[in-house]
Each structure stands twice: as C-alpha cells, then as structure tokens.
Amino acid sequence: MKPFPKTLSDKLEQRLQNNSLRKLPEATALIDFSSNDYLGFAKSEAIFEATHQFLLERDCKTNGATGSRLLSGNHPIYKEAEAFIAEFHQAESALIFNSGYDANVGFFSAVPQRGDVILYDELIHASIRDGIQLSHAKAYRFAHNDLDDLQDKMVKFKNEAATVYVVIESVYSMDGDSPNLEVLTELCEQQECYLVVDEAHALGVFGRKGEGLIQSLQLQNKVFARIMTFGKGLGCHGAAILGSLALQSYLVNFSRSFVYTTGLSPHAVATIVTAYRYLAENPSAITDLTDNITAFNQEKLLLGLKPLFVYSKSAIQCAIIPGNERVKTIAAALQEKSFDVKPILSPTVPEGQERLRFCLHRYNTTAEITAVLQEFSRLVLGY
C-alpha cells in the first residue's frame, strides 16, 4: 500500500493538535439529547408498519430505484409523495432530492446565474455554502439575523445584479434561533429580492401540523423556494424543494445533484409520505415537543443558566462554552452521567463560539430535562 500523502497527514495532525479531530461515535444507550429525531419518528413502529402496508397496497416489491429519475428511477410513489408534500405545504410543486445536502447543493449551484448576487446569512449551513461555491453568481454574507446589514447590501447590489437571492434558515442548526421572518419577507418584497429559506430544523417543530415556521406565519407565498429536509423532524431520509412549477421544471433540467444520481428507493419515498401523513394526523406529537421546549427554557432560567444559552424557542438549545478542550470535557462528564449531549467544536463553529448542543425531543421526560440541566449547572457553575 502506498504511503498516505504527507499534505493530508499534516492536516489530520493539525486537527489533532487543535483537539478538533473528528471520529465516528459508537452507538450508545444514553438518554438522547443529541439526535435530530425531534418527534421520535425515526423509532416509530407505527410509521414502520404503515410504510410496509403502503407498499403492499401498491403491490410495490422493488428494492431499488434502478436509476436516476430521468431514466428509470421515477417510480409511481414519487408522484404520490410529491403531490402530498406540495398540498401539505401549500406550494405549487415539490421536488424530492436524495438528501438535504443534495437539495442545497443542487439548488444553489444551478439557480443563481452569472451576473446574479447571493446574499447569505453568515451562519448559513455548510451545504448551502458548498452550493454557492459551485455557482457562477457573486456571493456576499451579512451579519447573522442583522436585517439592517442585509438591507444595506440589498441596496448596494440590486442595481448591479440581474437577480438578488437572499438565503436564510428559518431555524439555525448551530444556534437554534430564527430571524424576524415577517420583516425579512417584507424587506425582500420591497427590494425585489428572491428569498430562499432552509426549513430543515423547523419541519415537525413549528406550526399546528408541523408544517414549518414560514407556513405557520402564512408567509409561504412570499418565498421563492423552501428546502424541507426529512432527516430531522420526519425521522427518515431525503428532502424536497418547494416552489413554483417553473422552478421544478428548471431543477429537473439543470440541477446536477438531481439529474446525475440514482433516485431514492420506493421504500424510502414511501417512508417520507407515510411520515408526512403521520405528522398531519398526530398533532399531539408537536405539542409534546413544544411542552418539552418550554420546560427546558423554564428550568435553565430557574438554575441561572440562561446567560450561557443562545436565545431559542426551537428544539435546538446551545450553551456557549469557549474552547474545544473545555467543551469536550463537560460533554464527556455529562455522558458519564448517561446524558448524550454533544460538543460542537471549532472549526464547525468559529473559535471562541464552541458550545454544548442540547437537542430536545418529544420523548424526553421532564425528569430527564431537569436532571441534565442540574448536572450541567453543577459542572459549569459549581452548584
């Protein structure tokens, strides 16, 4: 075997020295405060059995898609699933991608053109950044959730660009916070900009039926495209881009991560539509999660922990603990007490913004929430 290239070894060694070397974790039986399975759908036997029944009713016993959707992989379940998703989200169309990463890379590498400008929040997800890097458009970041900074850049660039795209997340994955969406949508309308919203961490969490933050505020008609990712609240795999029929047609023709990949299997797509139906029919799943988010926020206030946390009403609650070594030490101590809380290290977040990321779920108990925060308080405050 040839020796590993020194340039690559040096990069790994640098990560090791910075205490930021990533390793795949082992499966554990710890109390879950780390996964994105906010509603417990990934573990739902009811959804598992309903998906099997869904396939039997359609006499579908195919294991794989057999090819890309433009060749042989566009099995009939896709049509049913996309129609259901579009109706659920009050959109003209829904186009399923293999993952949220594929959807974001596929959209941003294909839609913004040379001569366009992309204005993106500085904390936008890595998948969006990767898509932007593949685009021929110019891109500029604005300060996180700072609409004054965004407006200044809109005014600066709108006369230079054919089209200006504004890119945000409705719930940010590393902070759990949200922009002022009502003001933001009005600003985009005034400045004639096209708003694109990643709703990965809002689906299943916000709205009466878990439809996401944009739709819960009745702003869906003011957004050019919404990216809904299914690996979080829906507990399955894949994503969909919501928008006009013209946008769907454009993506089918020009989005390389859609065109040049094998489609999802019938079982994967059946799981998506089954999870959506379960979400629509079980509003108690969302209220249970909302109650736990409220309980977590109340408990951190009682314990004097609120100043450590980024303000959030979502299922993502982050306490800033600067320094990779310190945040890893505190996370390890919590894990020793059976709480699966993960540290988020630089360079995933900026240096000095390292954090513990508590993910809340429908199935966490009030006693577990109290216990994990009490232990965290003992570790960081000494009581």
Side-chain angles (χ1 to χ4, degrees):
M1 182 180 294
K2 290 185 177 181
F4 197 63
K6 185 177 185 305
T7 50
L8 306 185
S9 296
D10 288 346
K11 293 185 75 171
L12 284 174
E13 180 61 27
Q14 185 177 7
R15 282 284 174 92
L16 186 62
Q17 294 302 319
N18 292 340
N19 207 8
S20 59
L21 184 68
R22 297 183 178 104
K23 294 182 180 179
L24 292 173
E26 300 290 337
T28 72
L30 302 179
I31 298 168
D32 184 7
F33 283 102
S34 69
S35 81
N36 291 324
D37 186 24
Y38 303 130
L39 298 177
F41 282 12
K43 306 177 183 71
S44 170
E45 291 186 19
I47 291 175
F48 182 88
E49 295 296 339
T51 299
H52 182 65
Q53 187 62 34
F54 181 97
L55 291 166
L56 290 179
E57 289 171 356
R58 288 150 184 80
D59 194 30
C60 182
K61 300 175 183 177
T62 305
N63 293 319
T66 77
S68 73
R69 290 186 65 184
L70 287 169
L71 294 177
S72 59
N74 196 41
H75 47 81
I77 296 174
Y78 265 118
K79 183 177 181 180
E80 184 173 353
E82 288 172 338
F84 187 94
I85 293 167
E87 182 178 3
F88 182 91
H89 287 295
Q90 298 176 11
E92 273 191 23
S93 74
L95 184 66
I96 292 176
F97 283 71
N98 286 11
S99 70
Y101 188 95
D102 282 346
N104 277 328
V105 169
F107 180 95
F108 290 101
S109 63
V111 174
Q113 302 293 296
R114 194 181 304 278
D116 293 342
V117 164
I118 305 168
L119 302 178
Y120 65 93
D121 189 290
E122 63 181 348
L123 297 189
I124 208 74
H125 193 265
S127 59
I128 296 175
R129 287 176 178 267
D130 288 354
I132 289 172
Q133 286 182 347
L134 294 171
S135 170
H136 294 296
K138 293 181 179 179
Y140 305 91
R141 66 182 181 180
F142 59 91
H144 180 53
N145 286 341
D146 188 335
L147 300 189
D148 290 332
D149 187 30
L150 173 60
Q151 184 172 18
D152 288 344
K153 289 182 169 60
M154 285 177 167
V155 172
K156 179 179 179 181
F157 292 112
K158 73 173 185 177
N159 292 327
E160 299 178 16
T163 304
V164 176
Y165 294 93
V166 175
V167 189
I168 63 160
E169 296 178 48
S170 59
V171 177
Y172 284 87
S173 59
M174 289 296 112
D175 281 49
D177 61 348
S178 301
N180 186 326
L181 292 168
E182 293 97 331
V183 175
L184 179 60
T185 52
E186 288 300 320
L187 185 58
C188 287
E189 282 198 334
Q190 291 168 10
Q191 299 296 333
E192 298 181 331
C193 297
Y194 288 72
L195 180 60
V196 182
V197 184
D198 186 319
E199 291 238 72
H201 294 278
L203 177 59
V205 179
F206 290 96
R208 186 176 59 84
K209 297 190 299 180
E211 60 269 29
L213 199 48
I214 290 291
Q215 197 174 337
S216 72
L217 297 171
Q218 290 297 295
L219 299 173
Q220 61 271 19
N221 293 330
K222 297 184 177 184
V223 176
F224 177 63
R226 285 176 280 167
I227 294 95
M228 315 301 298
T229 300
F230 309 142
K232 281 75 174 175
L234 287 192
C236 49
H237 198 71
I241 295 179
L242 310 176
S244 65
L245 289 169
L247 176 62
Q248 181 190 54
S249 179
Y250 184 87
L251 292 169
V252 168
N253 280 276
F254 295 103
S255 176
R256 295 173 70 84
S257 67
F258 178 88
V259 173
Y260 298 109
T261 191
T262 300
L264 291 173
S265 69
H267 187 277
V269 181
T271 304
I272 293 166
V273 71
T274 301
Y276 260 108
R277 287 178 172 175
Y278 197 83
L279 183 67
E281 295 165 3
N282 291 274
S284 63
I286 301 152
T287 55
D288 289 346
L289 174 61
T290 301
D291 289 345
N292 279 346
I293 294 170
T294 301
F296 189 95
N297 279 315
Q298 290 174 341
E299 188 66 27
K300 75 185 185 190
L301 181 63
L302 288 172
L303 292 170
L305 293 168
K306 186 177 178 181
L308 296 177
F309 281 83
V310 178
Y311 177 79
S312 170
K313 291 186 176 181
S314 76
I316 300 168
Q317 303 282 329
C318 291
I320 305 300
I321 310 289
N324 281 345
E325 185 172 355
R326 183 165 185 245
V327 74
K328 286 175 73 173
T329 298
I330 293 173
L334 287 172
Q335 290 162 17
E336 287 178 3
K337 296 292 185 179
S338 298
F339 301 113
D340 191 11
V341 181
K342 292 295 195 297
I344 307 297
L345 312 176
S346 58
T348 300
V349 293
E351 189 172 350
Q353 291 292 306
E354 296 83 6
R355 72 221 24 221
L356 282 180
R357 185 170 181 259
F358 296 80
C359 290
L360 305 178
H361 312 91
R362 175 195 187 189
Y363 50 81
N364 291 133
T365 67
T366 303
E368 289 169 349
I369 289 169
T370 299
V372 72
L373 284 175
Q374 286 178 342
E375 183 61 24
F376 177 56
S377 176
R378 185 187 69 79
L379 290 167
V380 297
L381 301 179
Y383 55 85

